[in-house]
Amino acid sequence: MEAVPARVRAYVACVALSALTCLLPLPGTHTPWPAVALLAALYAGGEHVLRKRLGGTFYPVLLAGAFLLPPAAAALVPLPGALLSHVEQRPQAVRRVWRAAELALAVWGAGCVHWVLGGRDAVAGCEFPYALLPCAAAVLAFCTVLALLDGGILAVAVGAPRTPFGQRGRVPVRRAWRGLLARSLAPIGVHGLAGLMMAVLWRSPYGPVAALLVLLPMCVSWWVFAQYHRERAAHQATIRALVQAVDIKDGYTRGHSERVGQASVMIARELGMDDERVEVLRFAGILHDVGKLGVPTRLLRKDGPLTPEERRIIELHPEYGHEMVRGISFLGEARAAILHHHERIDGSGYPYGLAGGQIPESARVVAVADAFDAMTSTRSYSRARPVGAAVEELRRCAGRQFDAGVVDALVRALGREGWHPAVTADVCQPGAPASGRPTGDRESVGRGAP
């Protein structure tokens, strides 16, 4: 608990006490204990398999409990599985208590809504479609409680390097709850339908054994989902390997790719792109210089000015990079960003001299992110500029070298979130001249601003 901020501990304690309060009506409630025990055991076993091996969640069992049991009894179902679950990251005890408490509150809330709307009678009588409305309302309550609690832990952890539960801290309070409910509705809605089918079959003449059959197709979907995540992890490993190869080859720009990816994400979110495109822009930023693997190392590390011939060689790196990643389908429009991130709005860029709207939006985003990080990082040929100076240079070149709308998006994001660039290499001595170029990349130094 020493590593957990006091305000986070207090928040977890309040949530845990609230969960315990939900259990107070149990002594006066007619509780079907065999059903509670069976559902709790099923959830605990499912959590052990899914979370440890497949990375999924066993919410259909929890929601079936909310549809079958009194709310206080339903709140018991997730406790054994959550409190005994395998946790690798520390602090394990806090993580277990947090997960048990938030799930208990979510199931209790879903059970209360379902009970008030008469869902229990509709389930017992197999009254369709009347059973769907209480079910939908209960699922919405379940998602809402989880979103409120998860957003709360982000809000109280503002300023902490990391919360105890995997989310990063330093999240502005106004953004703590953004998107949490919307992202959970569809997947948990599917789990709710499976839970409703379990509850109906449980109440049917066929009993609990028939209800368990509902989980078979769900297990297949979890396995498919796990395969997708394994494939995604392989993609991430491929990208990391490529970026590390570039960093080793061009030591002066070590860490540059990750920072360009971060700045690209900031811009993409400010432009209102959906999560899928934001992730693609992150890949684009991280891999934008992968073509430097095809450029002689002596040119990348040369301290003096580049000759015209050397410049022409370095300016081939976008095409090299595009050839390297063109067969990686999951990169999508990131491949266009890699090829065109040195094009300029006025048409004087390379490799094809595209202008204005001819340049893909992803490339315009990465171009601004690339230039911004290059100007705020120390290189062999330039010293890091303050963020304000880099922003002014971007604004000066907006409309000619850079997309003005993309520059404005970065400025707004910086004003809200700030920027703390790391110096990639301490190679400049005091008094070394600072470059006056807006682009900052080695292959563009000397071209000047339009």
Side-chain angles (χ1 to χ4, degrees), residues 326-350:
R326 65 185 303 179
I328 305 178
S329 59
F330 75 89
L331 289 178
E333 64 178 321
R335 291 171 289 182
I338 293 168
L339 179 60
H340 296 295
H341 70 280
H342 281 296
E343 305 284 3
R344 295 159 64 116
I345 295 298
D346 63 3
S348 64
Y350 63 90

Side-chain angles (χ1 to χ4, degrees), residues 214-282:
V214 175
L215 296 177
L216 292 178
M218 294 296 296
C219 288
V220 173
S221 68
W222 282 316
W223 179 83
V224 172
F225 189 68
Q227 295 301 109
Y228 163 78
H229 275 280
R230 290 192 183 100
E231 182 179 357
R232 185 180 180 85
H235 294 164
Q236 299 278 8
T238 300
I239 291 173
R240 283 195 300 270
L242 289 171
V243 171
Q244 287 170 359
V246 175
D247 286 347
I248 291 171
K249 188 179 183 81
D250 188 5
Y252 289 128
T253 59
R254 186 158 296 152
H256 169 64
S257 298
E258 287 83 356
R259 292 194 301 274
V260 173
Q262 177 187 345
S264 298
V265 166
M266 292 171 63
I267 296 170
R269 286 176 175 161
E270 194 65 34
L271 291 174
M273 295 184 185
D274 59 43
D275 290 343
E276 185 176 348
R277 285 197 75 195
V278 169
E279 183 71 358
V280 169
L281 264 295
R282 185 176 73 87

Side-chain angles (χ1 to χ4, degrees), residues 139-184:
V139 169
L140 179 60
F142 185 86
C143 295
T144 301
V145 173
L146 289 182
L148 289 173
L149 295 177
D150 286 339
I153 202 68
L154 290 175
V156 300
V158 169
R162 184 179 290 272
T163 75
F165 317 109
Q167 306 99 329
R168 290 195 176 277
R170 307 189 188 280
V171 176
V173 173
R174 63 181 178 275
R175 294 182 56 198
W177 289 272
R178 182 182 297 177
L180 291 179
L181 179 59
R183 287 194 297 268
S184 65

Side-chain angles (χ1 to χ4, degrees), residues 4-11:
V4 182
R7 58 185 177 275
V8 176
R9 279 182 279 165
Y11 181 79

Side-chain angles (χ1 to χ4, degrees), residues 2 5 40 47 67 77 87 97 153 161 163 217 233 236-237 240 249 251 288 304 306 327 346 356 417 432:
E2 296 78 15
E47 281 286 283
F67 302 151
V77 173
V87 177
V97 169
I153 202 68
T163 75
Q236 299 278 8
R240 283 195 300 270
K249 188 179 183 81
H288 74 287
L306 297 172
D346 63 3
E417 302 177 29

Side-chain angles (χ1 to χ4, degrees), residues 300-368:
L300 297 176
R301 299 190 178 185
K302 184 177 179 180
D303 291 336
L306 297 172
T307 67
E309 180 61 28
E310 290 171 337
R311 186 177 306 284
R312 281 193 292 272
I313 294 173
I314 288 184
E315 288 179 357
L316 291 173
H317 85 274
E319 295 177 276
Y320 292 156
H322 184 257
E323 285 299 314
M324 292 173 66
V325 303
R326 65 185 303 179
I328 305 178
S329 59
F330 75 89
L331 289 178
E333 64 178 321
R335 291 171 289 182
I338 293 168
L339 179 60
H340 296 295
H341 70 280
H342 281 296
E343 305 284 3
R344 295 159 64 116
I345 295 298
D346 63 3
S348 64
Y350 63 90
Y352 300 130
L354 302 183
Q358 295 177 318
I359 306 171
E361 185 180 30
S362 59
R364 285 178 269 150
V365 169
V366 172
V368 172

